[in-house]
Coordinates of all heavy atoms in Angstrom, one line a residue:
A107 N -0.7 13.0 -26.0 CA 0.7 12.9 -25.9 C 1.1 12.0 -24.7 O 2.0 11.1 -24.8 CB 1.4 14.2 -25.8
T108 N 0.4 12.2 -23.6 CA 0.7 11.5 -22.4 C 0.4 10.0 -22.6 O 1.1 9.1 -22.1 CB 0.0 12.1 -21.2 OG1 0.3 13.5 -21.2 CG2 0.5 11.5 -19.9
Y109 N -0.7 9.7 -23.3 CA -1.1 8.4 -23.7 C 0.1 7.7 -24.4 O 0.5 6.5 -24.1 CB -2.3 8.4 -24.5 CG -3.0 7.1 -24.9 CD1 -4.1 6.7 -24.2 CD2 -2.5 6.3 -25.9 CE1 -4.8 5.5 -24.5 CE2 -3.1 5.1 -26.2 CZ -4.3 4.7 -25.5 OH -4.9 3.5 -25.9
I110 N 0.6 8.4 -25.4 CA 1.8 7.8 -26.2 C 3.0 7.6 -25.3 O 3.6 6.6 -25.4 CB 2.2 8.8 -27.3 CG1 1.0 9.0 -28.3 CG2 3.4 8.3 -28.1 CD1 1.2 10.1 -29.3
G111 N 3.2 8.5 -24.3 CA 4.3 8.3 -23.4 C 4.1 7.1 -22.5 O 5.1 6.4 -22.2
V112 N 2.9 6.9 -22.0 CA 2.7 5.7 -21.2 C 3.0 4.4 -22.0 O 3.7 3.5 -21.6 CB 1.2 5.6 -20.7 CG1 0.9 4.3 -19.9 CG2 0.8 6.9 -19.9
L113 N 2.5 4.5 -23.3 CA 2.7 3.3 -24.2 C 4.1 3.1 -24.4 O 4.6 1.9 -24.4 CB 1.9 3.7 -25.5 CG 1.5 2.5 -26.4 CD1 0.6 1.5 -25.7 CD2 0.8 3.1 -27.6
L114 N 4.9 4.1 -24.6 CA 6.3 4.0 -24.8 C 7.0 3.3 -23.6 O 7.9 2.5 -23.8 CB 7.0 5.4 -25.0 CG 8.4 5.5 -25.4 CD1 8.7 4.8 -26.7 CD2 8.9 6.9 -25.5
G115 N 6.5 3.6 -22.4 CA 7.0 3.0 -21.3 C 6.6 1.5 -21.1 O 7.4 0.7 -20.7
V116 N 5.4 1.2 -21.4 CA 4.9 -0.2 -21.1 C 5.0 -1.1 -22.3 O 5.1 -2.3 -22.1 CB 3.4 -0.1 -20.6 CG1 3.3 0.7 -19.3 CG2 2.4 0.3 -21.6
A117 N 4.9 -0.6 -23.5 CA 4.9 -1.5 -24.7 C 5.4 -0.7 -25.9 O 4.7 -0.3 -26.8 CB 3.5 -2.0 -25.0
P118 N 6.8 -0.4 -25.9 CA 7.3 0.5 -26.9 C 7.0 0.2 -28.4 O 6.7 1.1 -29.2 CB 8.9 0.3 -26.7 CG 9.0 -0.3 -25.4 CD 7.7 -0.9 -25.0
A119 N 6.9 -1.1 -28.7 CA 6.6 -1.5 -30.1 C 5.2 -1.0 -30.5 O 5.0 -0.6 -31.7 CB 6.6 -3.0 -30.2
A120 N 4.3 -0.9 -29.5 CA 2.9 -0.4 -29.9 C 2.9 1.0 -30.2 O 1.9 1.5 -30.9 CB 2.0 -0.7 -28.7
V121 N 3.9 1.8 -29.9 CA 4.0 3.2 -30.3 C 4.0 3.3 -31.8 O 3.5 4.2 -32.4 CB 5.2 3.9 -29.6 CG1 5.3 5.3 -30.2 CG2 5.0 4.0 -28.1
L122 N 4.7 2.4 -32.4 CA 4.8 2.4 -33.9 C 3.4 2.2 -34.5 O 3.0 2.8 -35.5 CB 5.7 1.2 -34.4 CG 7.2 1.4 -34.0 CD1 7.9 0.1 -34.5 CD2 7.7 2.6 -34.6
I123 N 2.6 1.3 -33.9 CA 1.2 1.1 -34.3 C 0.4 2.4 -34.1 O -0.3 2.9 -35.0 CB 0.5 0.0 -33.6 CG1 1.3 -1.3 -33.8 CG2 -1.0 -0.2 -33.9 CD1 0.9 -2.5 -33.0
F124 N 0.5 3.0 -33.0 CA -0.1 4.3 -32.7 C 0.2 5.3 -33.8 O -0.6 6.0 -34.4 CB 0.2 4.9 -31.3 CG -0.6 6.1 -30.9 CD1 -1.6 5.9 -30.0 CD2 -0.4 7.3 -31.5 CE1 -2.4 7.0 -29.6 CE2 -1.2 8.4 -31.2 CZ -2.1 8.3 -30.2
A125 N 1.5 5.5 -34.0 CA 2.0 6.5 -35.0 C 1.5 6.2 -36.4 O 1.1 7.1 -37.1 CB 3.6 6.4 -35.0
F126 N 1.5 4.9 -36.8 CA 1.0 4.5 -38.1 C -0.5 4.9 -38.3 O -0.8 5.6 -39.2 CB 1.2 3.0 -38.3 CG 0.6 2.5 -39.6 CD1 1.3 2.7 -40.8 CD2 -0.6 1.9 -39.7 CE1 0.8 2.3 -42.0 CE2 -1.1 1.5 -40.9 CZ -0.4 1.7 -42.1
V127 N -1.3 4.5 -37.3 CA -2.7 4.8 -37.4 C -3.0 6.3 -37.3 O -3.7 6.9 -38.1 CB -3.5 4.1 -36.2 CG1 -5.0 4.5 -36.2 CG2 -3.3 2.6 -36.3
W128 N -2.3 7.0 -36.4 CA -2.5 8.5 -36.3 C -2.1 9.2 -37.6 O -2.9 10.0 -38.1 CB -1.6 9.0 -35.1 CG -2.0 10.4 -34.7 CD1 -2.8 10.7 -33.6 CD2 -1.6 11.6 -35.3 NE1 -2.9 12.1 -33.6 CE2 -2.3 12.7 -34.6 CE3 -0.9 12.0 -36.4 CZ2 -2.1 14.0 -34.9 CZ3 -0.7 13.3 -36.8 CH2 -1.3 14.3 -36.0
L129 N -1.0 8.8 -38.1 CA -0.5 9.5 -39.4 C -1.4 9.1 -40.6 O -1.7 10.0 -41.4 CB 0.9 9.0 -39.7 CG 2.0 9.6 -38.8 CD1 3.3 8.9 -39.0 CD2 2.1 11.1 -39.0
L130 N -1.9 7.9 -40.6 CA -2.8 7.5 -41.7 C -4.1 8.3 -41.6 O -4.5 8.9 -42.6 CB -3.2 6.0 -41.5 CG -4.1 5.5 -42.6 CD1 -3.4 5.4 -44.0 CD2 -4.6 4.1 -42.2
I131 N -4.7 8.4 -40.4 CA -6.0 9.1 -40.3 C -5.8 10.6 -40.5 O -6.6 11.3 -41.1 CB -6.7 8.9 -38.9 CG1 -6.9 7.4 -38.7 CG2 -8.0 9.6 -38.8 CD1 -7.8 6.6 -39.6
A132 N -4.6 11.1 -40.0 CA -4.3 12.6 -40.1 C -4.1 12.9 -41.6 O -4.6 13.9 -42.1 CB -3.1 12.9 -39.4
R133 N -3.5 12.0 -42.3 CA -3.3 12.2 -43.8 C -4.6 12.2 -44.5 O -4.8 13.1 -45.4 CB -2.4 11.0 -44.2 CG -2.2 10.9 -45.7 CD -0.8 11.1 -46.0 NE -0.7 11.7 -47.3 CZ 0.5 11.9 -48.0 NH1 1.6 11.6 -47.4 NH2 0.5 12.4 -49.2
L134 N -5.5 11.3 -44.2 CA -6.8 11.3 -44.8 C -7.7 12.4 -44.4 O -8.5 12.9 -45.3 CB -7.5 9.9 -44.5 CG -6.8 8.7 -45.0 CD1 -7.5 7.4 -44.5 CD2 -6.7 8.6 -46.6
S135 N -7.7 12.8 -43.2 CA -8.7 13.7 -42.7 C -8.2 15.1 -42.3 O -9.0 16.0 -42.2 CB -9.4 13.1 -41.4 OG -8.6 13.1 -40.3
R136 N -6.9 15.2 -41.9 CA -6.3 16.4 -41.3 C -7.0 16.8 -40.0 O -6.8 17.9 -39.6 CB -6.4 17.6 -42.3 CG -5.5 17.4 -43.5 CD -5.0 18.7 -44.1 NE -6.0 19.5 -44.6 CZ -6.3 20.8 -44.2 NH1 -5.6 21.3 -43.2 NH2 -7.3 21.4 -44.7
Y137 N -7.6 15.9 -39.3 CA -8.2 16.1 -38.0 C -7.2 15.5 -37.0 O -7.1 14.3 -37.0 CB -9.5 15.5 -37.8 CG -10.7 16.1 -38.5 CD1 -11.5 15.4 -39.4 CD2 -10.9 17.5 -38.4 CE1 -12.5 15.9 -40.0 CE2 -12.0 18.1 -39.1 CZ -12.8 17.3 -39.9 OH -13.9 17.8 -40.6
S138 N -6.6 16.3 -36.1 CA -5.8 15.7 -35.0 C -6.6 14.9 -34.1 O -6.2 13.8 -33.6 CB -5.1 16.9 -34.3 OG -4.3 16.4 -33.2
S139 N -7.8 15.5 -33.7 CA -8.6 14.8 -32.7 C -9.1 13.4 -33.2 O -8.9 12.4 -32.5 CB -9.8 15.6 -32.3 OG -10.5 16.0 -33.5
L140 N -9.6 13.4 -34.5 CA -10.0 12.1 -35.0 C -8.9 11.1 -35.1 O -9.1 9.9 -34.8 CB -10.6 12.3 -36.4 CG -11.2 11.1 -37.1 CD1 -12.5 10.6 -36.3 CD2 -11.6 11.3 -38.5
S141 N -7.7 11.5 -35.5 CA -6.6 10.6 -35.6 C -6.3 10.0 -34.2 O -6.0 8.8 -34.1 CB -5.3 11.4 -36.0 OG -5.6 12.1 -37.2

Side-chain angles (χ1 to χ4, degrees):
T108 309
Y109 187 103
I110 298 170
V112 177
L113 204 56
L114 184 62
V116 301
V121 173
L122 295 176
I123 298 171
F124 188 107
F126 176 79
V127 175
W128 195 98
L129 289 168
L130 179 71
I131 306 295
R133 171 114 211 187
L134 296 174
S135 72
R136 289 209 298 122
Y137 290 125
S138 176
S139 56
L140 183 66
S141 308

